[in-house]
Amino acid sequence: MIEKALKGNRNYWIWISFLALVIASGISAYSQQRWFGLTVTGMGRDVSWGLYIAQFTFLVGVAASAVMVVLPYYLHNYKAFGKIVIIGEFLAVSATLMCLLFILADMGRPDRVLNVMLYPSPHSMVFWDVMVLNGYFIINLVSGWTVLGAERKGIPPPRWVKPVIYLSIPWAVSIHTVTAFLYAGLPGRHLWLTAVLAPRFLASAFAAGTSLLILLTIILKKTTGFDAGSEAREKLAVLATYAGVTNFFLIGTEFFTALYSNIPSHMHSLQYLFFGLEGHSNLVPWMWFSLMIGLGSVVVLLIPALRASSKWLPAACAGLVISIWIDKGVGLILGGFVPSPLEDIVEYSPTLIEIAITLGIWAIGALLLTVLLKVAVAVKTQE
Amino acid sequence: MMNEERRAFIKKSGLGVLACMGAASGLIPKFSLEKTVLPAWDEKQVPGKIRWGMLIDTRKCIEGCKECVAQCHHVHNVPDFNNRKDEVKWIWKSSYNKVFPTASQQFQSEKIAGRSYLALCNHCADSPCTRVCPTEATFKRWDGIVAMDYHRCIGCRFCMAACPYGSRSFNWQDPRTAIKDPSLAYPTREQGVVEKCNFCSDRLVKGLLPACVEACPQQVMTFGDLNDPKSEIRGLLENNETMQRKPELGTKPSVFYII
Amino acid sequence: MIFFGLTLVLFASLYAFMQDGMAEKTTQPQAQNLHRQVSVDSTKCIASKEFMRANHMRVLNEWRNSSVREGNRIFVAPNGSKLEKSLNTCLGCHKNNKLFCFNCHMYANVKPKCWNCHISAMETP
């Protein structure tokens, strides 16, 4: 089936070459990082995680959101998702691969990565996260590819694939819950030390992931003529809307608990992110932009007429993705490190090398997604 | 299974050589062999029997004196990059509101709030860093020391996020370039691993006290077994008002302070 | 070549006997009562050359794990003599040949990471 990815028009190859170029620059930046160490990044003693772990957190959400199409289609036999479900699964595969690459990029000794398997430590959440992420990658790749292969031959998919697909549903929830538990169990990091972190992760994932999926179907319609169907998009938009509402509700509860209780350690990170702390306010414009564009997008999505509009829907979806990318991919991780355990405020900004590596990993994900979707569209349209 | 076989083989094959060497050394008594004195730790260790701890009498600590820091960092080849971002530290001095941020701050006397306080790894009894480590590269030893196995660390820096005391440092770059006065008796670390105070497990095994304790001109620090009711440190804890850093987090630090 | 290496190793280990042992400084009196003491003699090779040539990496690996992680720092040789499980025990004798590890590893193109942290004889004055 993979040979279908080797046949494409000029634009397809221009896109592939562009991605290859970005990947190459990422690899070159990574070789610098391997040689000189993580000192080439903006991270340091006080803010010891940065862009990589933040991207990882955001992308776990994108991966988990595949459940929003898999569950209605396979569990509730919701036929309108018939064409979109494979896009969701392949998006999950690419996002999970990016997650794993971001973890690898963040490690000081990636050559020892197998130690996680050699010395399994069930008391460590990282161990579980590596397990569930690898599992999710395989589950989605296998189920998506098998169903697509059967479709190509015009036969029903093999019976063993059904339980695998059902397994992917709780598994999707597990990957983001475990990812939240990475942060939510650390004493002394008060921004993360909250029971609503896992629910918040899931809500923001289902909002941003489904929005991204809607955008993908629109792009596919424009570039390949393959239309997943406007009914599917509308239904997904409703799901994204309420996930978005839930997300902002949960953020609101965080504010209430921190500010009303007036406990300094609980307030500091939020104060730093949204108002600045002791003159340090690098992230303030980002956070307000995220909040405004996110709330604005949710309002647009809540109005049925705008939600159905072919102009407003993609705009609102893009707004929601950007908002949640900033909230999870910038604010949440960096905010957790301010102030430091020794009450110091150190601000972080990524270096060019770090950004090049990040873009490189995104390009690898985009390349995999392009190839997988190329195959899927070719099969679906009987090219 | 493998190990047993290997041991047996080492024993058999080594016997001859060792016998020869023993005889040779007996023949030439003038050339005395190196004698190392080590505690009898060749038996299986009993976890939890000993719990090493430290008491810091901050009243005796001289403002501006950094003997302990210098000695520790020299003995353990701790690099000095002279910049905050790449900083590696095992023991350091910091202000009251940074070392004890959750202690009473308002209207605190200048005498107390104005002093600097020593901070180092607390070797917590319930250590969050060992809980989160995915490879057990950092682990709780039988004697209460939170140890690092630098051979195993993957550099994920989870322990740094988990430690509520900022006691862990990452080697953002090759530390060897920044060790001015290396100590040959102790290894360095390498780029990409996390490091921290080891409570001088390297010196304890030789029957020596930790380097900081020994270096202090004022005998500010008392080191001993917290599980031994008759130890000097327990006596001091019994007769003084002491405190730990951030006790509300339930980590049970093994480092205590007299303020 | 092999015989040359053999004689080299033999000479190196013999030469060690002619050096005066660096006796450990007397320990702190107050620290001494913390432990029961045994004397450890870390000057003898732990096994035959042939065995060590084939298995030194396994021995070192086991020493590393049992000493760092289990705190079992003492290796009891078949004749009852005790050695400290430490790379320094090996180097205590073998540092007389600064190229002791490097010669073979270079020849075999093996690049162990020991010397990224441990200080080799090559780096000592």
Side-chain angles (χ1 to χ4, degrees), chain A residues 48 106 109 112 124 344, chain B residues 98 131-132 153 157 161 190:
Chain A
S48 49
D106 188 68
R109 290 295 305 269
R112 290 181 182 165
S124 163
D344 290 313
Chain B
K98 289 181 177 180
R131 202 183 308 144
V132 300
C153 176
R157 307 193 293 293
E190 61 183 322

Side-chain angles (χ1 to χ4, degrees), chain A residues 30 33 38 41 43 49-60 94-108 110 113 133 183 325 329 348 353-366, chain B residues 155-157:
Chain A
Y30 185 66
Q33 182 185 298
L38 282 154
T41 68
M43 295 182 274
W49 283 335
L51 204 52
Y52 302 144
I53 294 298
Q55 301 306 298
F56 154 78
T57 313
F58 175 76
L59 286 166
V60 175
S94 316
T96 316
L97 178 75
M98 285 190 263
C99 290
L100 294 168
L101 288 175
F102 273 117
I103 293 185
L104 215 56
D106 188 68
M107 279 172 50
V113 65
L133 279 176
Y183 310 109
W325 180 80
Y348 157 94
I353 291 181
E354 211 173 349
I355 292 169
I357 294 172
T358 303
L359 290 176
I361 294 174
W362 274 94
I364 293 173
Chain B
C156 69
R157 307 193 293 293

Side-chain angles (χ1 to χ4, degrees), chain A residues 100-383:
Chain A
L100 294 168
L101 288 175
F102 273 117
I103 293 185
L104 215 56
D106 188 68
M107 279 172 50
R109 290 295 305 269
D111 52 314
R112 290 181 182 165
V113 65
L114 288 178
N115 279 4
V116 178
M117 257 73 110
L118 287 174
Y119 310 104
S121 319
H123 52 74
S124 163
M125 288 299 124
V126 182
F127 167 72
W128 292 107
D129 213 35
V130 169
M131 292 296 132
V132 291
L133 279 176
N134 279 301
Y136 195 67
F137 179 78
I138 293 163
I139 286 175
N140 274 290
L141 190 60
V142 166
S143 58
W145 196 258
T146 312
V147 172
L148 196 66
E151 194 177 328
R152 177 171 165 244
K153 294 188 195 118
I155 53 167
R159 285 182 55 191
W160 58 262
V161 83
K162 259 288 163 63
V164 177
I165 291 167
Y166 291 147
L167 182 64
S168 84
I169 296 168
W171 207 287
V173 179
S174 85
I175 60 167
H176 221 20
T177 306
V178 175
T179 304
F181 286 175
L182 291 178
Y183 310 109
L186 306 179
R189 303 280 178 191
H190 296 279
L191 185 66
W192 302 337
L193 192 69
T194 159
V196 302
L197 198 68
R200 202 180 130 192
F201 269 22
L202 286 167
S204 61
F206 295 153
T210 32
S211 297
L212 202 60
L213 204 52
I214 294 169
L215 290 174
L216 262 182
T217 64
I218 294 171
I219 293 168
L220 278 182
K221 191 180 162 193
K222 285 253 163 67
T223 54
T224 68
F226 174 75
D227 188 7
S230 55
E231 193 194 339
R233 263 194 296 280
E234 272 167 42
K235 202 74 196 170
L236 272 184
V238 174
L239 292 174
T241 310
Y242 289 104
V245 170
T246 313
N247 176 45
F248 286 107
F249 170 73
L250 290 173
I251 291 180
T253 62
E254 294 276 24
F255 269 97
F256 173 79
T257 303
L259 299 182
Y260 194 80
S261 71
N262 200 42
I263 299 173
S265 52
H266 289 270
M267 293 192 294
H268 279 157
S269 295
L270 284 176
Q271 279 173 336
Y272 165 70
L273 288 176
F274 286 91
F275 310 104
L277 204 59
E278 294 171 26
H280 298 274
S281 55
N282 274 358
L283 291 180
V284 173
W286 288 82
M287 295 316 289
W288 283 102
F289 177 70
S290 161
L291 204 58
M292 290 300 126
I293 198 173
L295 287 172
S297 304
V298 168
V299 169
V300 168
L301 287 172
L302 274 172
I303 302 165
L306 294 180
R307 190 163 65 221
S309 143
S310 64
K311 283 203 179 64
W312 282 100
L313 178 65
C317 285
L320 209 49
V321 172
I322 292 167
S323 164
I324 288 168
W325 180 80
I326 294 172
D327 178 42
K328 254 167 135 177
V330 179
L332 186 87
I333 301 305
L334 301 183
F337 288 102
V338 178
S340 79
L342 290 153
E343 300 293 307
D344 290 313
I345 300 170
V346 175
E347 295 204 278
Y348 157 94
S349 52
T351 60
L352 276 178
I353 291 181
E354 211 173 349
I355 292 169
I357 294 172
T358 303
L359 290 176
I361 294 174
W362 274 94
I364 293 173
L367 181 67
L368 179 65
L369 185 62
T370 307
V371 167
L372 288 175
L373 288 182
K374 175 81 180 149
V375 173
V377 167
V379 169
K380 295 261 180 198
T381 55
Q382 303 292 323
E383 242 175 43

Side-chain angles (χ1 to χ4, degrees), chain B residues 6-7 9-11 15 18 31-32 34 36-40 42 136 142 149 176 188 190 204-207, chain C residues 17 21 27 31 35-38 40-41 43 45 51 62 69-71 73 78 82 115-118 123:
Chain B
R6 197 184 306 143
R7 276 206 194 102
F9 190 61
I10 296 176
K11 279 177 191 168
L15 206 62
L18 284 169
F31 308 112
S32 62
E34 178 193 359
T36 325
V37 179
L38 277 163
D42 49 340
E136 281 171 54
W142 68 96
D149 185 346
R176 287 211 169 174
T188 68
E190 61 183 322
L204 291 177
V205 78
K206 293 179 187 148
Chain C
F17 290 104
T27 53
H35 312 294
R36 204 148 44 91
Q37 309 284 333
V38 291
V40 167
D41 177 0
T43 45
C45 276
F51 178 80
E62 197 197 308
R69 305 193 67 87
E70 288 146 36
R73 295 201 72 91
K82 294 180 175 182
W115 313 116
N116 286 6
C117 298
H118 293 274
E123 287 155 302

